[in-house]
Amino acid sequence: MSEDTVKIEVDGQELEARKGSMLIEATDAAGIYVPRFCYHKNLSVAANCRMCLVEVERAPKPMPACATPVMDGMKVFTRSEKAVAAQHATMEFLLINHPLDCPICDQGGECELQDLAMGYGSDVSRFSESKRVVRDKDIGPLVQTDMTRCIHCTRCVRFGEEIAGLRELGATGRGEHMEIGTYVQKAMTSELSGNVIDLCPVGALTNKPYRYSARAWELKQVPGVSSHDGLGSNLNFHVKGQAIKRVVPRENDAVNESWLSDRDRYSHFGLSHSERLLVPKLKRDGRWADVDWETALDFVVEHLTQASQGQVGQLATLMSPSSTNEELLLAQALVRELGSDNIDHRLRQSDFSGQDDDARFPSVPELDQIEEAGAAVLIGANPRHEQPLLNLRLRKAALRGAAVVSLDVVDRDFNYAIAGRYRAKPSRLPNLVASLVVALGKAKSVDIPEHYLKIVEGLADPALQETLTSSAALLAGTSNAVVLTGAVVEASPCRGVLMMLADALAAVLSARRGDLASGGNAAGAWLAGAVPHRGAGGEPVAAPGMSSKEMVKTSGSTWMLFGFDPSLDTASASEMLAALQKAGKVIAFSAYSSEALVEYADCVLPIAAPGENEGSFVNLNGRLQRFVSAIAPAGQARAGWKILRVLGNRLNLPGFDMTACSEVTDRFVSLVGDFENIERRLTDRAWTVGESDETGLEVFAEVPMYAVDQLVRHAEPLQAMPQSGDDTIRLAPVTAAKLGLAPADRVTVTCGTETVELRLAVDSALEDGVCAVAGARALTARVAVNGARVKLQRVVGDAAA
C-alpha cells in the first residue's frame, strides 16, 4: 500500500482506495455495485437522491456512498439489512410522485429508475394521494421535457454549471414543489445541450427529434467517429432497419470523455433530406437525366482520359477536408497517375505563402496537456464553436487558474474567464500578434529568435505593445503554455505571416503549438497527399501543382469536386463558380444536390454520407480511428473509395487493386508510417502587412457552427438553432452611426461583382470599419470573402424595424 492509498473493507472484501476519494469510486473500481441516480463520475457530488445509502461500521445511520470519503480501516456493508432497507425506502419516496407512463416514455427500456425500481421497489404503493404534475417547458428544438418525471437528481443543472459553462437550467422551489427549468422562459442554446439527455436517469429530458420513433430494444448499436471537427469524437449510431435513429457518445477519456457536441449528435437527421442524391446523373443537351452507374463511369473515364492527354485543359481536383483517409489517398493517387498534381483540400484558405514550411499535418497538443496548461493564447480561434469538446479541456484549464488570452478580430462569447481580450481589424491582426511577441520578450527578458526578427520588427506596433503589457507580464509568469490558431487565421489573407507569428510567440513563451484546422479529417488529408506540393505520407513532390486559389484562376480545366458544395464551402463562391462556368467538364462526387451543381456540373456521382461510409480519420492528436458503416448508403449511392477504386481500374492505373476498405487503410498507414508531428520548418523572410489602400468596409466572414459541411446544413433540427447563422450584415455601433444606418435597415452590399440585399444588425463585438457576414449560407456566401472590401447603401424607402 502506498502513502496515497488506504485500506477499506467492503462486504468482507479488502480494497485499496485513493486517499480523499469517495466510497462509491472505490466500489465501482472493485466491481461492487451501489445503486445511484445523482452521482456521475464527471460531475460534482450532490448527494441529493440518497439512493446510494450504505451501512458504515460505527456510523449512527446509513451514509451516502457518493459523499462519504474513504478512511483507513473503514468497514462498509452495501447489502446489509440496514443498507437495503434504506435503499428500498429511498425508492419508495422517489416513486410517490412519479407518473405511470413507462409504456409511452422514450426512456423506457433504458431507464435507470425503471431498472432500479425492479430491484428496490415494491409492487404496491402505500400512497393514495394525488401525484403532482409539472408543466412542461419548451427549451428548444433539441431537448424534449416531461418534467413530471423529474426526480431532482440535478445532473442537468450541474452539467450546465460545471461542464458546459452555461447555467441554462436551474432549480426553483423546495421539496416536492421543486422544479427544474430555465429561470426565464427561453431555449437552451449551448453547443453541448444534448448531453443532458444522456445524463437524465429518467425520461424527464429526452431527444426531441427522435421522440416516439423507436424503442430502445429495437435499436442496433454501431460505433462511429465524428466527421465534423478535427477531434474525432467517438460515438455510437443507434440503428433501426436502415435508418439511424439517434447518436449517443461512446466514452473515450483520451478524446471526448463521455460527452458529445450537438453538431455530432443531431447531424444524422440530414441523411434523409429531400436533396439527397440517390442515382448518378448526367447533363445531356443542358438537361439532367438519371443514368446507371456504367454509363456515368464511362463518361467520367472518357473525360479524365482526355484531361490527362491535355485535350480539355488541366485536371483540377478539390476534396472536402472531411473526406476519409481512403478517399483522399485514392483521389490523389488517381490524379497524380493521370499526370496532375492539382489537388487540394484547403477549400477556405486563400493565402498559401509559406506552405512549404507547414508541419507534416495540422495538430494540437494532447488533450490532457491542454487541460493541464498554465496558460493559453488563442489567435483567431473560437474553440467553443470550432472544437466544442477540445474547448472543454481549455475550460478545465481556466477553472484551474490558467491564464487565457485571446487575440482576435471579434470579441468571443467564451464560457470561462479570459485574462486578456484583444481585437483588431482582420488586416491588423498580424500587427497585434507581433506586438504581443515583442511585449512578451521584454516581460521575460528574452531575445526573439533570429529567424523571426524581420517578421516581428516589421509588424510590431508600439501603441499595441503598451496595451498588451499587462497580459504579457501575466503570460511571462506562467509555464506549460499552449498557443492555438483557429479558423480566422486559416481563412485570413495573412495566414502565412500569422502562422509564423504564432510560432514566434510559442518560441518566446516556450509553449506548445496547435492549429484548430477545419474539417473532420484535415490531418488525414495532409498525410494522404491531398495537397499540391506533397504526396502520400507528406513527401514533397518534384513539381508542385496548383493550390485551390490558383486552380480557380485557370480556364478550361476539367474539374473533380469531392464531397462539398462549391457555392458554400470555398474561400470565394463567386470566383469558384466563375471557374466552373469556364470549365471544360465538371465531375462532382456529392451526397447532396445543390443549385451550383445543377447549374455547373456535367456529371454527379452520389456518394455515401457520414454514417453510411466506412474508412478512417486522423484526428488533430495524430490518432488514427477506423469506423464501419452504420447503414447502407441511400439509393444507389456508393462509398467514395469504391467509386475511386473502380475509376482507377477502368483507367488501367496501378495501385487500384484493393477490394476491401481495410486494405486501403493499411496502405495509408504503411505510407504514412508513424503519426508523430514534425516541427514547422522556419525560413528567414521579411513580411509586410498593413492597411489596404482600398476604400470600403473590411469583410470578416466566418462559417457558423451548424453550417460547416453538407450533412450539418441539411440537418433540420440544427438549422433551427441560432448557431446556424443568419442573413444579416453586422457592424460596430460607431460604424453604423458613421454611415447613417440603424439596426434592421435593409442595405445593399457590393463585393466585387456581387451585390446582395441584407438586413443590418449592430454588434458591439466588432471593430470600427469591419463588417461581419456568415459564410456557407446561400445569400451571404456571395459576399463572404475574407480580406475583401465592400460598400453598403441603404435601401431607399426602408425603415428600421
Side-chain angles (χ1 to χ4, degrees):
M1 184 178 72
S2 71
E3 294 182 359
D4 296 327
T5 61
V6 296
K7 284 189 176 181
I8 63 173
E9 183 183 298
V10 179
D11 294 339
Q13 180 180 343
E14 189 175 275
L15 306 175
E16 279 193 17
R18 179 177 53 85
K19 278 185 180 178
S21 64
M22 297 301 158
L23 183 56
I24 200 167
E25 297 177 59
T27 56
D28 282 354
I32 300 172
Y33 181 71
V34 175
R36 82 289 302 272
F37 289 116
C38 67
Y39 173 77
H40 190 280
K41 68 176 185 177
N42 291 328
L43 300 176
S44 64
V45 172
N48 53 13
C49 78
R50 317 309 282 185
M51 194 65 213
C52 64
L53 292 174
V54 295
E55 181 182 356
V56 178
E57 189 178 60
R58 291 194 294 275
K61 59 183 180 180
M63 304 290 289
C66 69
T68 303
V70 294
M71 293 185 291
D72 197 31
M74 172 187 281
K75 288 188 176 181
V76 179
F77 306 93
T78 68
R79 302 299 301 157
S80 67
E81 185 177 343
K82 182 186 288 188
V84 171
Q87 293 160 1
H88 277 265
T90 298
M91 178 57 67
E92 186 175 22
F93 276 111
L94 288 174
L95 293 177
I96 287 174
N97 280 310
H98 202 75
L100 300 175
D101 60 355
C102 293
I104 64 162
C105 179
D106 266 345
Q107 197 85 347
E110 54 186 3
C111 175
E112 295 176 47
L113 181 65
Q114 202 174 53
D115 292 341
L116 291 180
M118 292 296 292
Y120 300 91
S122 173
D123 58 345
V124 176
S125 174
R126 293 189 292 168
F127 294 85
S128 57
E129 291 85 355
S130 299
K131 294 178 181 285
R132 65 163 192 166
V133 176
V134 180
R135 183 175 59 87
D136 290 337
K137 286 86 173 171
D138 184 358
I139 58 174
L142 304 183
V143 181
Q144 176 67 43
T145 63
D146 285 282
M147 301 314 295
T148 300
R149 301 169 183 161
C150 179
I151 61 170
H152 305 156
C153 71
T154 70
R155 282 185 181 180
C156 56
V157 177
R158 283 176 285 149
F159 172 80
E161 293 178 353
E162 300 163 14
I163 306 299
L166 296 173
R167 196 174 185 185
E168 295 184 295
L169 295 177
T172 55
R174 299 189 65 185
E176 72 168 12
H177 300 294
M178 174 177 166
E179 293 186 19
I180 301 294
T182 55
Y183 292 115
V184 179
Q185 188 166 353
K186 65 182 184 68
M188 291 182 71
T189 57
S190 165
E191 63 278 8
L192 303 169
S193 64
N195 288 288
V196 300
I197 298 167
D198 307 319
L199 288 171
C200 185
V202 294
L205 300 172
T206 54
N207 188 322
K208 197 170 194 174
Y210 161 81
R211 198 179 197 199
Y212 299 149
S213 65
R215 305 311 303 251
W217 53 86
E218 298 176 309
L219 302 175
K220 178 181 71 172
Q221 182 165 283
V222 182
V225 177
S226 163
S227 63
H228 307 302
D229 62 49
L231 190 66
S233 297
N234 290 196
L235 48 85
N236 283 316
F237 295 107
H238 285 179
V239 177
K240 180 181 179 183
Q242 280 301 307
I244 296 174
K245 290 297 184 179
R246 64 180 179 184
V247 173
V248 298
R250 177 161 50 96
E251 189 170 340
N252 186 335
D253 287 339
V255 181
N256 56 301
E257 300 176 292
S258 57
W259 314 122
L260 201 60
S261 72
D262 289 348
R263 183 166 59 190
D264 297 331
R265 185 184 299 270
Y266 294 102
S267 62
H268 71 93
F269 286 99
L271 293 174
S272 56
H273 197 276
S274 60
E275 290 183 358
R276 277 303 301 271
L277 281 167
L278 304 178
V279 296
K281 293 177 178 288
L282 282 181
K283 186 181 286 183
R284 292 168 169 164
D285 300 323
R287 289 178 171 272
W288 283 101
D290 295 348
V291 297
D292 57 38
W293 272 103
E294 287 294 318
T295 304
L297 292 172
D298 287 343
F299 177 91
V300 174
V301 168
E302 176 188 350
H303 290 284
L304 290 181
T305 301
Q306 292 176 5
S308 68
Q309 296 170 353
Q311 296 175 22
V312 287
Q314 304 178 74
L315 177 60
T317 302
L318 292 180
M319 302 287 296
S320 164
S322 294
S323 304
T324 66
N325 294 323
E326 295 72 21
E327 291 165 342
L328 293 158
L329 183 68
L330 292 176
Q332 68 85 31
L334 180 82
V335 170
R336 289 191 161 106
E337 287 293 341
L338 291 174
S340 172
D341 283 291
N342 301 330
I343 181 169
D344 210 344
H345 72 279
R346 300 166 294 175
L347 305 180
R348 298 195 181 279
Q349 191 170 319
S350 60
D351 177 23
F352 297 89
S353 58
Q355 67 176 4
D356 292 335
D357 301 315
D358 281 335
R360 192 181 180 201
F361 66 93
S363 65
V364 296
E366 289 291 337
L367 299 182
D368 58 350
Q369 294 174 344
I370 293 176
E371 189 175 317
E372 295 165 4
V377 181
L378 307 178
I379 303 175
N382 185 11
R384 183 176 163 192
H385 282 194
E386 294 174 52
Q387 312 279 349
L389 296 179
L390 181 146
N391 185 64
L392 291 189
R393 307 301 182 114
L394 277 172
R395 174 173 159 77
K396 287 184 182 180
L399 292 175
R400 290 191 175 107
V404 182
V405 174
S406 172
L407 310 177
D408 214 325
V409 301
V410 62
D411 286 339
R412 303 290 184 186
D413 185 17
F414 291 100
N415 55 359
Y416 41 83
I418 300 296
R421 189 191 298 263
Y422 306 93
R423 73 184 185 201
K425 294 170 71 172
S427 60
R428 293 281 294 169
L429 186 57
N431 304 90
L432 182 63
V433 181
S435 300
L436 180 59
V437 175
V438 173
L440 187 60
K442 292 178 179 178
K444 293 192 71 173
S445 300
V446 298
D447 293 330
I448 299 169
E450 183 69 26
H451 43 256
Y452 295 120
L453 275 176
K454 287 184 180 179
I455 305 172
V456 174
E457 290 176 352
L459 295 171
D461 184 324
L464 288 174
Q465 292 173 38
E466 188 67 27
T467 304
L468 293 160
T469 300
S470 59
S471 289
L474 179 63
L475 291 171
T478 63
S479 59
N480 195 24
V482 295
V483 174
L484 301 176
T485 52
V488 170
V489 173
E490 182 178 319
S492 170
C494 312
R495 176 191 178 274
V497 67
L498 282 169
M499 294 295 278
M500 298 293 278
L501 288 169
D503 293 340
L505 183 62
V508 174
L509 193 55
S510 300
R512 295 183 174 90
R513 272 282 284 119
D515 304 324
L516 305 181
S518 61
N521 195 32
W526 277 89
L527 292 168
V531 285
H533 61 299
R534 295 185 192 166
E539 293 300 318
V541 298
M546 293 186 291
S547 67
S548 59
K549 182 178 182 178
E550 293 168 326
M551 290 184 216
V552 300
K553 296 187 181 300
T554 61
S555 300
S557 296
T558 293
W559 283 86
M560 283 206 305
L561 311 177
F562 194 101
F564 68 95
D565 186 333
S567 66
L568 300 178
D569 294 319
T570 54
S572 173
S574 59
E575 287 187 359
M576 182 77 246
L577 297 181
L580 296 182
Q581 190 171 31
K582 296 180 291 185
K585 291 294 177 182
V586 178
I587 300 162
F589 300 70
S590 180
Y592 295 90
S593 178
S594 71
E595 290 184 10
L597 293 182
V598 168
E599 184 171 354
Y600 298 107
D602 297 286
C603 174
V604 181
L605 305 179
I607 60 174
E612 303 169 344
N613 211 356
E614 58 182 335
S616 63
F617 291 142
V618 177
N619 80 350
L620 293 177
N621 288 141
R623 182 174 282 104
L624 179 75
Q625 301 189 109
R626 304 186 189 221
F627 52 88
V628 297
S629 58
I631 57 175
Q636 295 181 32
R638 297 291 182 267
W641 76 269
K642 290 184 177 180
I643 303 172
L644 292 165
R645 181 190 65 81
V646 172
L647 287 174
N649 283 336
R650 286 179 172 241
L651 289 162
N652 297 315
L653 304 179
F656 287 83
D657 54 349
M658 296 81 72
T659 59
C661 187
S662 58
E663 295 179 59
V664 191
T665 311
D666 292 341
R667 177 173 294 183
F668 172 81
V669 172
S670 67
L671 288 168
V672 172
D674 64 51
F675 290 89
E676 184 179 355
N677 193 18
I678 61 174
E679 294 297 324
R680 187 180 302 277
R681 295 182 290 277
L682 304 172
T683 55
D684 186 15
R685 285 178 291 188
W687 296 81
T688 56
V689 177
E691 293 283 0
S692 170
D693 292 332
E694 296 180 62
T695 58
L697 298 172
E698 191 172 340
V699 175
F700 165 53
E702 193 167 40
V703 178
M705 183 182 185
Y706 296 152
V708 294
D709 57 43
Q710 287 184 310
L711 182 62
V712 171
R713 288 194 295 267
H714 288 88
E716 292 181 0
L718 293 178
Q719 296 312 302
M721 296 291 284
Q723 294 96 324
S724 63
D726 56 34
D727 292 326
T728 62
I729 182 166
R730 294 181 288 126
L731 300 177
V734 63
T735 309
K738 287 178 183 177
L739 297 173
L741 298 173
D745 278 351
R746 299 292 301 183
V747 294
T748 57
V749 184
T750 302
C751 179
T753 59
E754 293 283 351
T755 298
V756 298
E757 188 175 305
L758 302 174
R759 183 69 69 181
L760 176 69
V762 173
D763 187 351
S764 59
L766 293 170
E767 277 285 291
D768 183 22
V770 176
C771 66
V773 290
R777 291 185 61 89
L779 186 59
T780 52
R782 293 166 56 188
V783 294
V785 183
N786 277 294
R789 298 285 172 142
V790 301
K791 295 181 180 179
L792 304 188
Q793 185 172 353
R794 188 172 183 269
V795 175
V796 177
D798 182 71

